Amino acid sequence: VSNGVEQLTVANGASNKGDVAADENAPGVPNFWLQVLQNIDIIGCTIQEKDVAVLKSLVNVTCDIKHGDNPNFILHFHFAPNDFFTNSILNKTYYLKMTMDEDDPLSYDGPEIDRSQGCVIEWKAGKDITRKNIKKKRKTKKWKNRLQYAHCASGLIFQLLPPQRRS
């Protein structure tokens, strides 16, 4: 713990608590983080085949826990260079609600996630797996059945990260 921030690092299955970072190049379990995410019921069911190629480049996950007036924790997803985006780290901050209902204090179960904020993913051209192009038939006066491409959101693991999107 330093400056009110506690850090936890797990790389390729080896836990490393404190300020010392885990060695991302150390031999470990291949596709460790992909396997972890696939084995978490609430997350694993959202992982689609197109997510797997991206998640294979996930090499580390770290967590910063901030105590004090505005408690929160930040998950840092560390990626090896990949064909999909230029970010090496994707972050998501979870803000916690620490107060209990004064009218019913016995119902307090501990901190709750109040809101969250993700980073902007810098997708490489044509590689944004959270969107897909769909061919739509569009009738116009000049051309009948002209094809049009539209963006359509996909339900993917990466929607857990960014509520923000840069076009």
Side-chain angles (χ1 to χ4, degrees):
V1 179
S2 68
N3 299 330
V5 177
E6 183 178 347
Q7 189 174 51
L8 175 63
T9 302
V10 178
N12 296 327
S15 177
N16 195 9
K17 190 171 182 176
D19 293 329
V20 182
D23 181 5
E24 293 178 0
N25 298 320
V29 178
N31 301 318
F32 173 77
W33 285 107
L34 172 61
Q35 292 177 31
V36 167
L37 294 172
Q38 287 176 325
N39 285 303
I40 299 172
D41 291 337
I42 197 166
I43 296 174
C45 65
T46 66
I47 297 175
Q48 297 179 3
E49 279 200 38
K50 53 187 162 183
D51 298 321
V52 171
V54 178
L55 291 173
K56 283 182 177 181
S57 63
L58 180 60
V59 295
N60 198 359
V61 177
T62 59
C63 179
D64 292 337
I65 302 170
K66 296 185 181 181
H67 306 279
D69 294 338
N70 190 15
N72 63 66
F73 63 93
I74 304 169
L75 294 178
H76 306 279
F77 298 88
H78 301 258
F79 286 86
N82 61 72
D83 296 333
F84 299 94
F85 47 82
T86 59
N87 311 66
S88 60
I89 300 174
L90 300 178
N91 302 306
K92 179 131 187 194
T93 304
Y94 294 89
Y95 297 93
L96 303 175
K97 180 180 173 185
M98 304 292 281
T99 58
M100 67 178 122
D101 183 0
E102 291 180 17
D103 296 332
D104 189 14
L106 296 177
S107 67
Y108 183 68
D109 269 344
E112 295 178 44
I113 294 176
D114 184 41
R115 61 190 163 86
S116 64
Q117 180 180 5
C119 67
V120 174
I121 299 177
E122 301 290 341
W123 294 101
K124 293 180 179 178
K127 297 292 187 168
D128 185 344
I129 65 168
T130 65
R131 294 185 172 201
K132 62 181 177 180
N133 290 323
I134 343 176
K135 292 181 182 180
K136 284 185 169 181
K137 289 186 179 182
R138 181 177 168 206
K139 292 184 180 181
T140 64
K141 291 181 181 181
K142 291 183 180 179
W143 300 287
K144 289 189 176 185
N145 297 329
R146 183 178 175 194
L147 293 178
Q148 174 184 353
Y149 292 93
H151 286 289
C152 171
S154 302
L156 302 165
I157 183 74
F158 287 95
Q159 290 180 353
L160 294 174
L161 288 168
Q164 306 167 355
R165 185 178 291 275
R166 186 173 291 161
S167 300

